[in-house]
Amino acid sequence: MSRKPGIRDVARAAGVSVGTVSKVLNPASSANIRISEATRGKVLALAGELNYTANYGATLLRGRRTGTIGFIANLPDEFNSPVISSYQMRILNGLSAAAQGKGYQILLISGSDYSSFLEIKRVDALMLINFRLRDNQKLSEMIGMYRTFNERCCPYVVINNTCTELPVPSVSVDNVRGMELTAAHILAKGYESVGFAGEITDNLQQHHLERLAALRKCLRGTGTAFPEELCMLGTACGIPPIPRTGAFNHRDGLEAMRRLAQSGNMPRCLVCGNDDIAQGVICMAAQLGIRIPEELAVIGFDDQTDSAYWNPPLTTVHQPLEEMGCAACEYLFEKMENPEAFKQITIKPTFMERMSG
Amino acid sequence: MSRKPGIRDVARAAGVSVGTVSKVLNPASSANIRISEATRGKVLALAGELNYTANYGATLLRGRRTGTIGFIANLPDEFNSPVISSYQMRILNGLSAAAQGKGYQILLISGSDYSSFLEIKRVDALMLINFRLRDNQKLSEMIGMYRTFNERCCPYVVINNTCTELPVPSVSVDNVRGMELTAAHILAKGYESVGFAGEITDNLQQHHLERLAALRKCLRGTGTAFPEELCMLGTACGIPPIPRTGAFNHRDGLEAMRRLAQSGNMPRCLVCGNDDIAQGVICMAAQLGIRIPEELAVIGFDDQTDSAYWNPPLTTVHQPLEEMGCAACEYLFEKMENPEAFKQITIKPTFMERMSG
DNA sequence: CTGAAAGCGCTTACAG
DNA sequence: CTGAAAGCGCTTACAG
């Protein structure tokens, strides 16, 4: 129950000054300072014996390294939920693995004033996941923050973002490439008609829009039918908006599938905005007695950790989120060394052909 | 690019002393101190204008609140992976929601020396997820740590743990209750024979063992067959151990199902140690042409966030992990107020009847 | 090679 | 009601 030992306890026990103890324990910052082996040994031994570890607050106040990276786990207000899903988790896992190697820990930041964490020196760097919605209420606020970060050379990085207003250090998946792979697969399989299932909501994620546009471009002139009425996303498709629950989209897939079946105009292949939607689609198809892949091919996007074990195993575009988290973390470390470093990293997805399409 | 303003900048701008600024900005700790409205207003205005926020290191060094809760995300060495899965994520989401209300953030701690984070005052409290394996190499180490924590009245809490050696503050799911609900369902459905699919490995999780034992007890004397040879877990079942990949168990389900089918001795109902295993089981059943639930009923445990959207939607025991994370967090807050507080909370699971069994 | 001392940016008794 | 001053536990020039 005794107080945790401080540096002066170690100093007293070793019969040296606190300054000497500090020098022994921080060899890096006192590289040009020589300490006798005898003293060093004594101090190290006593520090170990007393189980001494430096007070975090004092270290912070003097040094500059917090040893922590901030991870912004917030979802947009529209999502109406504090819950993070497997998408963020996979990025987090990549970040975590890279950070661990350098002795860094992750601070999960919630609340809106992210930038203050950097300012008050509670974290050394910031990783933000950007859910870009078609209509982003907070865009100007975010841009202001990015601008300040850029001016001050703050180490930050944004995952899956593109920002036309100013250059933002980022790690992003190549949506166009993902759709090229998907289109190539569709053509190889010879599916004669294609539909798309995205988020059924007014303010959907830009990613779904980008993927749809890229797929449309790839399929143009190939003879594959890809009509507007087979694209179930947004609100123009006639399905009432589906309230967001966290970062989950299963219900969007359920409803898209139901509507498609009702319409009697079913594509041969349904490309989904993400795996969640594909899961909803498959679930509803089973209820409706539509066989996958014999009657309907289903293709996802993301490749969640368990997509290979679905019934049927999902054919999908693998978004290497773990790698992306890892690459983002390495960029952050580089930026801490060299504040001028600026990168926009694009990661190529791969195509996972499995059973669903 | 100018330096971040400090308390003395605010003091200078407002024409008062730093002490006064501090008092204005920390009304709680200076409750019995009166400050004139004029001064207060001036200080507040200037602080806002300069965008002042207290330096974290200095605050820590003086105060005692770090405003952060440590979350131990480590998996046992056997898991051979730094990856956290949706199980931990759900607990984290519960913790996060509760912490947010009090302005606390979560520090994801990896590495082995958790206790030092508490000692050096880098976190105010610690939440540990305990993966209890049948043979826990680190048990004595953990017990030593728990003992120290208990002696010092440290705020810590363990999720899903029971420790016979000493009392540990905890939040745990009631496995027995979960199996009572499962058995009641089996009897109501009239399934004449039952099997069990758990982890196929030497050193499996205690939870699977407990659930199996509880189910056995519940089914005894009911006329429902529950023979040893239909229990696919551990290594006695004859399946070669399946290497762990993170916290995922899909392959265990795959193999259990394959073996059961090969043996020609298929139960009418297969209870699974968790949802991952159930997913593997369903996936393999589909490949083998075994219809669920007509030929084989499958029941899981956990109720993952997407289990309701599986094909078929999974009948499973809902483990309220979010609530558990939340309850654990509230206990932690209580413990910070009152170091003597000691709780062992048991949470009752509920049964989710869906389509798979 | 080692120690005494200043100071990081705050908070908090203690005076007035 | 406000200020001057000590001190939280370290690190780091600066002497010696």
Side-chain angles (χ1 to χ4, degrees):
Chain A
M1 276 285 8
S2 58
R3 227 183 68 273
K4 183 180 174 304
I7 195 171
R8 50 208 316 164
D9 297 305
V10 178
R12 197 174 308 125
V16 297
S17 73
V18 295
T20 301
V21 174
S22 177
K23 282 163 206 152
V24 171
L25 265 23
N26 297 290
S29 55
S30 44
N32 51 347
I33 295 198
R34 246 185 288 286
I35 302 274
S36 76
E37 271 314 309
T39 315
R40 171 185 307 283
K42 213 165 33 175
V43 169
L44 253 19
L46 267 312
E49 212 167 289
L50 294 176
N51 206 1
Y52 168 77
T53 32
N55 175 290
Y56 188 58
T59 309
L60 277 197
L61 186 52
R62 294 295 349 235
R64 69 219 53 84
R65 196 191 111 136
T66 65
T68 115
I69 292 176
F71 181 87
I72 310 299
N74 281 22
L75 297 175
D77 295 342
E78 284 85 354
F79 284 51
N80 196 27
S81 157
V83 165
I84 68 166
S85 70
S86 63
Y87 176 85
Q88 291 103 313
M89 190 189 67
R90 288 176 56 201
I91 297 168
L92 198 51
N93 278 330
L95 164 59
S96 176
Q100 191 162 6
K102 295 252 193 182
Y104 267 73
Q105 313 296 149
I106 316 293
L107 187 71
L108 244 50
I109 299 176
S110 55
S112 52
D113 186 18
Y114 330 138
S115 57
S116 73
F117 285 77
L118 217 40
E119 280 163 12
I120 67 174
K121 299 270 170 65
R122 184 163 171 182
V123 299
D124 294 333
L126 230 38
M127 182 178 302
L128 333 197
I129 313 247
N130 198 329
F131 278 86
R132 285 178 306 128
L133 303 184
R134 180 157 59 184
D135 172 27
N136 189 345
Q137 306 278 3
K138 290 191 180 164
L139 187 62
S140 65
E141 193 182 321
M142 295 298 279
I143 288 175
M145 189 178 77
Y146 293 154
R147 198 183 308 281
T148 309
F149 285 168
N150 284 351
E151 280 164 8
R152 300 186 184 171
C153 289
C154 294
Y156 79 106
V157 61
V158 181
I159 306 283
N160 273 339
N161 172 71
T162 53
C163 194
T164 50
E165 287 79 359
L166 79 173
V168 167
S170 60
V171 176
S172 309
V173 71
D174 186 340
N175 280 324
V176 170
R177 175 75 182 149
M179 286 302 118
E180 286 169 1
L181 295 168
T182 301
H185 178 78
I186 289 171
L187 295 173
K189 286 282 189 178
Y191 299 134
E192 62 278 8
S193 67
V194 174
F196 191 91
E199 287 187 303
I200 310 294
T201 173
D202 237 2
N203 194 13
L204 70 172
Q205 293 187 45
Q206 285 285 2
H207 283 298
H208 295 222
L209 258 12
E210 285 176 19
R211 289 168 195 167
L212 174 59
L215 182 60
R216 180 162 284 142
K217 196 169 165 195
C218 293
L219 253 24
R220 188 169 298 151
T222 64
T224 308
F226 190 21
E228 191 60 48
E229 64 268 26
L230 293 182
C231 293
M232 300 286 118
L233 77 171
T235 45
C237 65
I239 305 176
I242 294 180
R244 317 238 187 194
T245 52
F248 305 107
N249 286 127
H250 300 94
R251 287 192 53 203
D252 306 63
L254 240 36
E255 293 303 324
M257 188 63 202
R258 194 203 307 276
R259 170 64 56 120
L260 243 18
Q262 274 175 358
S263 76
N265 187 5
M266 180 72 68
R268 178 63 187 85
C269 172
L270 190 55
V271 176
C272 302
N274 61 32
D275 280 11
D276 271 9
I277 294 174
Q279 195 167 37
V281 164
I282 293 172
C283 183
M284 180 55 73
Q287 282 181 46
L288 298 171
I290 297 168
R291 285 172 306 139
I292 294 171
E294 295 81 358
E295 296 176 71
L296 176 70
V298 175
I299 301 177
F301 198 108
D302 275 353
D303 194 23
Q304 292 187 359
T305 45
D306 62 354
S307 300
Y309 301 103
W310 289 5
N311 175 22
L314 187 70
T315 293
T316 191
V317 176
H318 178 75
Q319 181 168 194
L321 294 170
E322 294 84 357
E323 277 175 53
M324 289 165 66
C326 200
C329 186
E330 273 156 18
Y331 164 70
L332 253 18
F333 286 133
E334 184 185 341
K335 179 87 172 173
M336 289 184 219
E337 294 283 314
N338 168 23
E340 304 293 326
F342 178 86
K343 280 189 182 173
Q344 294 186 317
I345 301 169
T346 301
I347 304 265
K348 297 257 177 260
T350 52
F351 196 79
M352 310 298 289
E353 179 174 355
R354 291 196 280 246
M355 304 300 293
S356 70
Chain B
M1 273 293 2
S2 59
R3 227 184 68 271
K4 182 178 175 305
I7 195 171
R8 51 207 317 165
D9 298 305
V10 178
R12 197 174 307 125
V16 298
S17 72
V18 295
T20 301
V21 174
S22 177
K23 282 163 206 153
V24 171
L25 264 24
N26 298 287
S29 55
S30 44
N32 51 346
I33 296 201
R34 245 186 290 284
I35 304 275
S36 77
E37 271 315 308
T39 316
R40 169 185 309 282
K42 214 165 31 174
V43 169
L44 252 20
L46 268 310
E49 212 167 288
L50 294 176
N51 206 1
Y52 167 78
T53 32
N55 175 291
Y56 187 58
T59 310
L60 277 196
L61 187 53
R62 293 294 351 231
R64 67 220 55 81
R65 198 191 110 136
T66 65
T68 115
I69 292 177
F71 182 86
I72 309 298
N74 282 21
L75 296 175
D77 295 341
E78 283 84 355
F79 284 51
N80 195 28
S81 157
V83 166
I84 68 166
S85 70
S86 63
Y87 176 86
Q88 289 103 312
M89 190 189 67
R90 288 176 57 202
I91 297 168
L92 197 53
N93 277 332
L95 164 59
S96 175
Q100 191 162 6
K102 295 253 192 180
Y104 267 73
Q105 313 295 149
I106 317 293
L107 187 70
L108 244 49
I109 298 176
S110 55
S112 52
D113 187 17
Y114 332 137
S115 57
S116 73
F117 285 77
L118 217 41
E119 280 163 13
I120 68 174
K121 300 271 170 62
R122 184 161 172 183
V123 300
D124 293 336
L126 231 36
M127 181 177 302
L128 333 198
I129 312 246
N130 199 328
F131 279 85
R132 287 179 303 129
L133 303 183
R134 180 158 60 183
D135 171 28
N136 189 344
Q137 305 278 4
K138 289 192 179 165
L139 187 61
S140 66
E141 193 183 322
M142 295 296 281
I143 288 175
M145 189 178 77
Y146 293 155
R147 198 183 308 282
T148 308
F149 285 170
N150 284 351
E151 280 164 8
R152 300 188 183 168
C153 289
C154 294
Y156 79 107
V157 62
V158 181
I159 306 283
N160 273 339
N161 172 71
T162 54
C163 193
T164 51
E165 286 79 1
L166 78 174
V168 167
S170 60
V171 176
S172 309
V173 71
D174 187 341
N175 281 324
V176 171
R177 176 75 182 149
M179 286 302 117
E180 287 169 0
L181 295 167
T182 301
H185 178 76
I186 289 171
L187 295 174
K189 286 284 189 176
Y191 299 135
E192 62 279 7
S193 67
V194 173
F196 191 91
E199 287 186 304
I200 311 293
T201 173
D202 236 3
N203 194 13
L204 70 172
Q205 293 186 46
Q206 285 284 0
H207 282 297
H208 295 223
L209 258 10
E210 284 177 20
R211 289 168 195 166
L212 173 59
L215 183 59
R216 182 161 283 142
K217 194 169 166 194
C218 292
L219 253 23
R220 187 169 297 151
T222 63
T224 308
F226 191 21
E228 192 59 47
E229 64 268 25
L230 293 182
C231 293
M232 301 285 117
L233 78 169
T235 45
C237 65
I239 305 175
I242 293 178
R244 318 238 185 192
T245 53
F248 304 107
N249 287 125
H250 301 93
R251 287 192 52 204
D252 305 63
L254 241 35
E255 293 304 323
M257 188 62 199
R258 194 202 307 276
R259 171 64 54 118
L260 243 18
Q262 275 175 357
S263 76
N265 187 5
M266 182 71 70
R268 178 64 186 83
C269 172
L270 190 54
V271 176
C272 301
N274 61 34
D275 279 13
D276 272 9
I277 295 174
Q279 195 167 35
V281 163
I282 293 172
C283 183
M284 180 57 72
Q287 282 182 46
L288 298 171
I290 297 168
R291 285 174 305 141
I292 293 171
E294 295 81 357
E295 296 176 72
L296 177 70
V298 176
I299 301 177
F301 198 108
D302 275 352
D303 195 22
Q304 293 186 359
T305 44
D306 63 354
S307 300
Y309 301 102
W310 290 5
N311 175 23
L314 187 70
T315 294
T316 191
V317 176
H318 178 74
Q319 181 168 194
L321 293 170
E322 293 84 357
E323 276 175 52
M324 289 165 66
C326 201
C329 185
E330 273 157 16
Y331 165 71
L332 253 19
F333 285 133
E334 184 185 342
K335 179 87 173 173
M336 290 183 219
E337 294 283 315
N338 168 22
E340 305 292 326
F342 178 87
K343 280 189 182 173
Q344 294 186 317
I345 301 169
T346 302
I347 304 265
K348 297 257 177 258
T350 52
F351 196 80
M352 310 299 288
E353 179 174 354
R354 292 198 279 245
M355 303 301 292
S356 70

